[in-house]
Amino acid sequence: PSHDMIADEMREDGIGVEVYHTGAKLGKQIEYADAKGIPFVFFIDDDGKMSIKNMKTKGQEEIKNLNKWCKKNISKKED
């Protein structure tokens, strides 16, 4: 699935999402997220492997199921 499709699914679940659409290097994208106070950065590599980076702890982990990870780790936006 594309980044936009995944972002749309997360938004439907009430999770705030922003997609970085330019071809900037990954480091620039992480700096952008950090400057905006975004707590987690989600990556999909060319092989389809998904990873999450915690911007507070700087830890990164590979994940198999984004929906399960989100339900466990992210508070949903208030309506």
Side-chain angles (χ1 to χ4, degrees):
S2 74
H3 290 89
D4 289 325
M5 288 173 56
I6 292 169
D8 288 344
E9 288 177 19
M10 293 175 74
R11 288 182 188 112
E12 287 174 10
D13 287 340
I15 298 169
V17 176
E18 185 170 335
V19 177
Y20 198 99
H21 284 287
T22 69
K25 292 186 178 189
L26 188 56
K28 286 280 187 195
Q29 295 178 42
I30 291 172
E31 286 176 16
Y32 174 83
D34 199 31
K36 290 198 72 172
I38 295 170
F40 299 100
V41 178
F42 171 72
F43 306 95
I44 304 173
D45 70 14
D46 292 336
D47 296 327
K49 182 176 78 171
M50 298 182 291
S51 298
I52 298 280
K53 181 174 184 78
N54 181 319
M55 297 301 290
K56 182 176 181 180
T57 67
K58 305 300 183 200
Q60 186 169 323
E61 65 180 296
E62 183 178 342
I63 60 171
K64 301 289 183 199
N65 185 308
L66 180 61
N67 288 333
K68 281 185 183 179
W69 188 92
C70 288
K71 286 178 184 175
K72 180 180 175 187
N73 295 283
I74 298 179
S75 299
K76 296 187 178 169
K77 293 189 304 187
E78 302 280 330
D79 287 332

